[in-house]
Amino acid sequence: MKRSKISGMTIEEYRSWMKQRMDDIYLKNESDSVDDIVENMADTKLYVSSVDKSDFSGIAI
Amino acid sequence: MKTETFNVIWTECFEKAGIDLLNVFPEQLREKYKWRCDFSDKKRDEVLDNYTQNRNSLRKNFFYGQDNPEKLIDIHKIGACFEKAVIDAAPMSFIADEKTPWIINVSNYAAAFYSSVNMISFFLLAYYRKVNMDYYNKYKEQKIVSYPATTIGHDPYTIGRIKALALDDIMEVDFDYLSYADMLFWIEHYNRQVIESSVFVKPMESRI
């Protein structure tokens, strides 16, 4: 089996080794509550559309 | 996420995306292929179930302190989970035959993409409403999300993204939540640049 340059570990051994150190690479998550955000938007709407019709103008139908 | 919150997202983001997508083409064409979007409560519940599973899996696999409910994932990750939930629920229906336009054939991916972008848009409006009403009003008046231009010979940005979603799903490539969330971040950032570009910036010499 091919050995990497990481202390002679195989890539599988390296992955296993890293799984013991996940706290270092877990993503941070300290976001605001979506419940609070949506509650504050209760009296308003989404006024903006994600669909740009011009993107479809060249499509043969 | 509370059920009430999900219901707002369903209405403002998913239903709006579905309606706007269907309205891209004339009624005659929609009728010819019986092209519909399922806005029923049953479909909403299916998407919610899918979303909850996706989100729990994402939290478990990628986030620090996943057992702490105070640690909340950001809207871009939530958008990615919602997008995959819509793909798996396949809310768009149509007659599939040899003559069906390809854009109708990929419309479940389109609905999923536009729904997730609507989520980003909704939360950007909420952010502007909190911090800057000028930007809020400017975004409202803009009416359409801005996307980066592509060069001649390439698909428009949105069409390219929809095709990419379709290709990955058809070829059974695992959905990459983190990369999709990153795409949503950049779409949001691009729109912030468009909206905020006319802002007066203090000359550097006055700041140092």
Side-chain angles (χ1 to χ4, degrees):
Chain A
M1 193 173 286
K2 189 180 175 185
R3 298 272 159 182
S4 74
K5 290 185 177 176
I6 311 165
S7 291
M9 289 188 279
T10 65
I11 193 66
E12 289 78 15
E13 288 167 344
Y14 166 71
R15 284 178 183 137
S16 175
W17 182 77
M18 280 302 291
K19 277 183 182 169
Q20 309 306 313
R21 286 152 187 83
M22 291 297 282
D23 281 358
D24 294 334
I25 54 173
Y26 273 134
L27 298 170
K28 289 182 180 177
N29 48 327
E30 300 284 352
S31 298
D32 295 335
S33 161
V34 288
D35 293 325
D36 292 345
I37 296 169
V38 167
E39 201 172 309
N40 290 335
M41 288 286 278
D43 59 338
T44 189
K45 302 185 80 60
L46 174 58
Y47 300 98
V48 185
S49 174
S50 57
V51 181
D52 183 346
K53 286 187 180 183
S54 67
D55 285 344
F56 296 85
S57 59
I59 294 173
I61 54 173
Chain B
M1 184 189 295
K2 294 178 188 169
T3 305
E4 294 85 354
T5 302
F6 186 85
N7 290 344
V8 171
I9 289 172
W10 176 260
T11 305
E12 295 298 327
C13 304
F14 172 76
E15 289 189 355
K16 181 171 173 52
I19 291 166
D20 289 348
L21 180 62
L22 291 171
N23 284 336
V24 164
F25 296 117
E27 189 179 356
Q28 193 182 1
L29 186 83
R30 297 200 298 267
E31 284 308 309
K32 184 178 176 183
Y33 293 102
K34 304 287 183 212
W35 192 29
R36 309 271 189 270
C37 187
D38 186 349
F39 299 120
S40 67
D41 291 351
K42 189 180 171 192
K43 187 57 71 179
R44 182 196 60 205
D45 293 345
E46 184 184 348
V47 172
L48 176 56
D49 283 347
N50 291 349
Y51 164 79
T52 305
Q53 283 179 35
N54 296 343
R55 183 185 180 284
N56 290 345
S57 170
L58 184 85
R59 258 179 91 97
K60 182 172 178 291
N61 291 332
F62 301 136
F63 283 88
Y64 180 80
Q66 58 268 42
D67 297 330
N68 182 353
E70 297 300 315
K71 305 268 186 180
L72 302 168
I73 63 173
D74 59 84
I75 190 61
H76 310 106
K77 312 287 190 312
I78 291 172
C81 293
F82 188 83
E83 192 275 349
K84 180 69 165 96
V86 172
I87 286 182
D88 290 339
M92 307 298 294
S93 59
F94 49 87
I95 296 170
D97 66 29
E98 292 304 314
K99 291 183 179 171
T100 307
W102 68 267
I103 194 67
I104 294 181
N105 285 334
V106 300
S107 56
N108 275 301
Y109 305 103
F113 172 78
Y114 289 127
S115 296
S116 63
V117 176
N118 275 349
M119 283 180 72
I120 300 307
S121 213
F122 190 69
F123 283 81
L124 182 55
L125 272 173
Y127 171 73
Y128 279 151
R129 196 167 187 240
K130 188 175 166 186
V131 302
N132 190 314
M133 283 305 286
D134 287 342
Y135 292 158
Y136 175 81
N137 289 324
K138 194 173 173 183
Y139 197 34
K140 255 175 79 174
E141 287 159 15
Q142 185 177 292
K143 292 194 170 81
I144 296 175
V145 172
S146 299
Y147 298 100
T150 52
T151 49
I152 292 170
H154 293 83
D155 291 312
Y157 184 81
T158 56
I159 302 295
R161 296 312 310 168
I162 291 163
K163 286 182 175 178
L165 286 173
L167 287 165
D168 278 350
D169 194 46
I170 293 161
M171 302 309 285
E172 299 183 36
V173 176
D174 285 345
F175 183 73
D176 186 342
Y177 290 95
L178 299 184
S179 293
Y180 193 86
D182 186 59
M183 178 204 73
L184 290 174
F185 166 81
W186 283 106
I187 291 175
E188 177 193 75
H189 186 70
Y190 183 74
N191 278 270
R192 286 191 63 176
Q193 297 240 309
V194 169
I195 293 159
E196 299 171 24
S197 62
S198 60
V199 176
F200 174 75
V201 179
K202 279 185 189 174
M204 183 58 78
E205 55 268 29
S206 72
R207 290 188 280 158
I208 53 177

